[in-house]
Amino acid sequence: MAKPAILAVDDDPAVLQAITRDLRRQYGSEYQVLRAPSGTDALRVLVELELRERPVALIASDQRMPGMTGVDFLSAARSHAPEAKLVLVTAYSDIEVAITAINDLGLDYYLTKPWEPPAERLYPVLDDLLSDWRRAHVDELGGVRVVGHRWSERSDEIKTFLARNHVPYRWLDVERDAEALRISDLADAAATDLPLVLVPDGDTLRGPSLIDLADALGLRTSAEQPLYDLCIVGGGPAGLAAAVYGASEGLQTVVVERQAPGGQAGQSSKIENYLGFPTGVSGFHLAQRALEQAQRFGAELVLARDVEHFEERGPVRAVCLGGGGEIEARSLLVATGVSYRRLDAPGLAELTGRGVYYGASASDARTYRDQDVYIVGAANSAGQAALDLARFARRVVLLVRSNSLEKSMSRYLVERIEKAPNIDVRLESEVVAGHGDGHLQTLTIADRAAGTEEEVAAEWLFVFIGASPRTDWLGDDVARDEKGFVVTGNDVLTSAAAPRWPLARSPFVLETSVPGVFAAGDVRLDSMKRVASAVGEGAMAVYLVHRYLATI
Ligand SMILES: Cc1cc2nc3c(=O)[nH]c(=O)nc-3n(C[C@H](O)[C@H](O)[C@H](O)COP(=O)(O)OP(=O)(O)OC[C@H]3O[C@@H](n4cnc5c(N)ncnc54)[C@H](O)[C@@H]3O)c2cc1C
């Protein structure tokens, strides 16, 4: 496969030469670095690449160019290279322009000149952007191959698991790819064997469970130690923050995660309100960095395992894992967050994973190129998904139950949605049924204001309708409210749901009704439901764990 392209644009020959040199030095082995002296020339290069079906990974353009400014060029470049990461190279005085472009154009980053030394001021930023790009193109670049049916829930589950665990793979559809048919014939695969997963230098897995798949990929699926100081259930921002602080402060720490590190945040295409990232950070990157950090400090991560049961064994807090096995620790942190609520309309349950999806990951966005997609929801997650999918889909229809988006979505997202030419917002509208033979084909949408119902052709529906915690596994002793959110701190003493607090001291702020069991992040009653607050609570929980451990 031809190398993906990186394009540098600047009207100053010396600057253009310098940036091209720096880019080639760092990325020349994996990317073809091209250059153009003006926006007009650069658009010609992009058209040429488009004709040759060559992917463009990144475009870095100067802002101040005669004829066409950098922002105008990047805006035009979007239609030729919608997937490319866009970087504006500005003089200090252009920063206002760059900030506006972040909001209006979806600019990925702005660099100020000069970028010397590149190892500090250029490469770290571009490394992140390019690794994001590569992740979104895993199916073209990877070694693992997944062969299956497009409308199969199992195929979807496996692809999601691989993508969210940062494993590059290539997807081969048995109904569309000759290569897929060849592989399935060679493997003599029956319909029930699909999806097949071919791991380089490994066996061909037939319809593997996530644990089998994780094992084949060399991911850890069971705990190493007989007893830990801290067991964290859930590897979202709260759990990973606790892992970083726990392990770095000398606690033997293990994290159990049923799917992939990052939690809900890992599904966010761009988190724009997390401190220290003025141009936003992709959830994928935040998760990847947090995971590396936790592992560097020595935290253990057990993946593809669902915690199904909790037991108090004297001073030991134990959790039992689905599929067998358990982990014992002297303290436990519940950081299991929340999961999307299911949309309760006839036909949708059977079509889940076959056109009906809960949440959407940024890496899937290209799958919907030139198609219509429907999104249900009115919170920021639905807004982010709408903008993300609109870059590829022909049309995005956002179905909102209330009569205004502003009530539930941040202003900056509402403004961008209003400006997007291919996003239709339908207020006071609800999906009342889904239909399809093997996969979603039509939706019935009720217009509550008009009192009418309409059936529309639809193959893709993404649902973002609020979330609820799944905490049944905690049993009766760990108090929750009627929705399942875990009660902590002083609320334990007043909660009608809590059993009698057994100690003379009061519960610590994040402690649950069982001493030594803590809760942090979205799963906790009255939590703020943001990345920053989850991270803060995860870190704080470790401080409280130390105080608890000092008492036993
Ligand atoms: C699409 C999207 C976009 C968002 N954008 C933003 C944003 O821009 N800014 C912002 O501040 N917030 C945003 N949020 C909210 C933010 O992501 C959450 O508040 C945050 O992730 C909560 O972190 P957490 O660790 O408490 O829980 P989660 O992120 O929900 O993580 C919990 C983890 O626990 C695992 N788990 C659950 N049960 C079990 C079990 N029984 N056994 C093992 N593992 C289990 C789950 O698989 C999951 O990985 C967004 C959310 C979504 C969905």
Side-chain angles (χ1 to χ4, degrees):
M1 183 194 159
K3 289 180 192 173
I6 293 178
L7 176 60
V9 190
D10 202 306
D11 64 312
D12 180 330
V15 177
L16 185 59
Q17 189 177 2
I19 194 159
T20 311
R21 179 202 59 213
D22 287 344
L23 291 172
R24 285 195 179 136
R25 190 173 290 158
Q26 181 77 354
Y27 304 111
S29 60
E30 287 183 84
Y31 298 85
Q32 186 184 14
V33 179
L34 303 167
R35 58 178 162 177
S38 71
T40 318
D41 287 310
L43 285 174
R44 267 190 227 115
V45 173
L46 289 177
V47 169
E48 192 55 38
L49 291 169
E50 200 179 1
L51 287 172
R52 283 160 37 210
E53 296 186 356
R54 287 277 306 282
V56 182
L58 185 136
I59 306 172
S61 171
D62 180 34
Q63 163 62 3
R64 293 194 180 187
M65 297 187 290
M68 190 186 278
T69 66
V71 168
D72 289 342
F73 157 63
L74 290 176
S75 164
R78 266 264 179 262
S79 55
H80 300 290
E83 292 149 66
K85 298 289 172 188
L86 303 183
V87 177
L88 192 68
V89 187
T90 63
Y92 186 73
S93 55
D94 292 327
I95 284 177
E96 277 298 312
V97 175
I99 290 171
T100 311
I102 288 171
N103 291 331
D104 295 350
L105 181 68
L107 186 73
D108 292 289
Y109 208 86
Y110 66 85
L111 280 171
T112 43
K113 293 182 198 174
W115 55 87
E116 295 295 332
E120 280 172 31
R121 302 207 39 220
L122 181 68
Y123 300 148
V125 170
L126 299 195
D127 284 351
D128 275 0
L129 293 178
L130 289 170
S131 101
D132 254 359
W133 185 87
R134 293 188 81 82
R135 180 180 62 96
H137 293 73
V138 284
D139 48 347
E140 291 153 39
L141 304 166
V144 171
R145 283 171 296 170
V146 182
V147 180
H149 285 285
R150 180 182 177 213
W151 300 117
S152 143
E153 195 176 350
R154 290 288 296 127
S155 298
D156 185 57
E157 189 187 12
I158 283 171
K159 287 193 294 174
T160 305
F161 181 81
L162 291 171
R164 293 201 50 206
N165 279 289
H166 316 168
V167 179
Y169 69 90
R170 195 163 147 228
W171 163 242
L172 296 163
D173 184 338
V174 278
E175 282 160 31
R176 297 168 167 207
D177 297 311
E179 172 76 352
L181 272 182
R182 193 185 67 81
I183 292 172
S184 99
D185 283 350
L186 273 178
D188 199 14
T192 49
D193 290 334
L194 297 180
L196 300 175
V197 182
L198 287 79
V199 180
D201 306 325
D203 292 336
T204 299
L205 309 176
R206 293 163 191 265
S209 67
L210 293 188
I211 300 184
D212 291 344
L213 179 59
D215 282 335
L217 294 168
L219 302 173
R220 182 175 291 172
T221 56
S222 57
E224 301 267 286
Q225 311 284 336
L227 181 71
Y228 293 84
D229 295 319
L230 172 61
C231 171
I232 300 163
V233 186
L240 289 176
V244 167
Y245 284 92
S248 67
E249 290 170 15
L251 297 178
Q252 286 264 21
T253 304
V254 63
V255 184
V256 194
E257 166 54 52
R258 72 164 154 225
Q259 229 231 355
Q264 297 169 72
Q267 295 174 42
S268 172
S269 51
K270 207 171 197 187
I271 298 166
E272 302 203 36
N273 54 359
Y274 189 54
L275 187 71
F277 294 89
T279 54
V281 55
S282 76
F284 171 84
H285 265 300
L286 198 62
Q288 191 183 38
R289 287 168 165 240
L291 176 65
E292 274 172 29
Q293 207 173 2
Q295 287 178 322
R296 189 165 63 81
F297 284 123
E300 239 182 68
L301 204 92
V302 173
L303 277 176
R305 303 305 297 271
D306 212 336
V307 169
E308 290 189 339
H309 186 61
F310 160 68
E311 271 174 28
E312 230 182 310
R313 297 176 185 164
V316 168
R317 308 287 173 254
V319 290
C320 305
L321 310 181
E326 58 178 36
I327 298 177
E328 290 195 331
R330 299 198 299 144
S331 64
L332 182 75
L333 177 64
V334 180
T336 46
V338 290
S339 319
Y340 286 112
R341 266 207 304 272
R342 302 278 139 163
L343 187 60
D344 189 16
L348 295 187
E350 304 83 77
L351 296 168
T352 300
R354 301 161 187 262
V356 177
Y357 304 93
Y358 289 86
S361 78
S363 62
D364 294 334
R366 289 175 316 129
T367 314
Y368 322 113
R369 188 187 287 281
D370 301 328
Q371 304 192 41
D372 289 353
V373 303
Y374 286 77
I375 297 177
V376 175
N380 283 2
S381 50
Q384 278 181 11
L387 287 164
D388 220 32
L389 295 172
R391 288 168 48 213
F392 303 97
R394 180 174 49 202
R395 190 170 67 115
V396 173
V397 182
L398 187 60
L399 301 169
V400 178
R401 203 164 52 167
S402 76
N403 61 3
S404 145
L405 259 191
E406 274 90 353
K407 282 183 187 163
S408 46
M409 197 179 282
S410 295
R411 184 76 229 138
Y412 71 92
L413 288 172
V414 177
E415 280 169 7
R416 275 187 232 165
I417 285 173
E418 281 166 355
K419 278 188 196 156
N422 61 339
I423 303 182
D424 293 345
V425 179
R426 290 179 60 170
L427 299 173
E428 297 187 65
S429 296
E430 279 176 60
V431 169
V432 289
H435 324 266
D437 185 10
H439 66 94
L440 180 68
Q441 287 166 316
T442 62
L443 287 172
T444 308
I445 298 172
D447 182 328
R448 297 294 181 209
T452 53
E453 284 193 0
E454 174 194 9
E455 187 159 326
V456 295
E459 291 201 317
W460 306 98
L461 173 71
F462 299 93
V463 183
F464 297 82
I465 51 161
S468 54
R470 293 208 210 125
T471 47
D472 290 350
W473 61 273
L474 282 167
D476 293 336
D477 291 341
V478 178
R480 275 105 63 202
D481 77 346
E482 64 289 353
K483 290 187 183 145
F485 288 100
V486 179
V487 178
T488 52
N490 273 341
D491 290 347
V492 164
L493 302 177
T494 51
S495 162
R500 207 180 66 76
W501 174 249
L503 302 180
R505 69 165 172 86
S506 298
F508 295 121
V509 185
L510 301 179
E511 200 167 23
T512 69
S513 53
V514 175
V517 176
F518 297 81
D522 283 12
V523 73
R524 203 175 64 77
L525 180 62
D526 287 337
S527 60
M528 190 185 161
K529 315 280 183 291
R530 292 286 184 277
V531 175
S533 52
V535 167
E537 290 186 12
M540 183 176 164
V542 169
Y543 161 71
L544 301 170
V545 163
H546 279 296
R547 287 180 63 186
Y548 165 76
L549 291 178
T551 68
I552 58 166

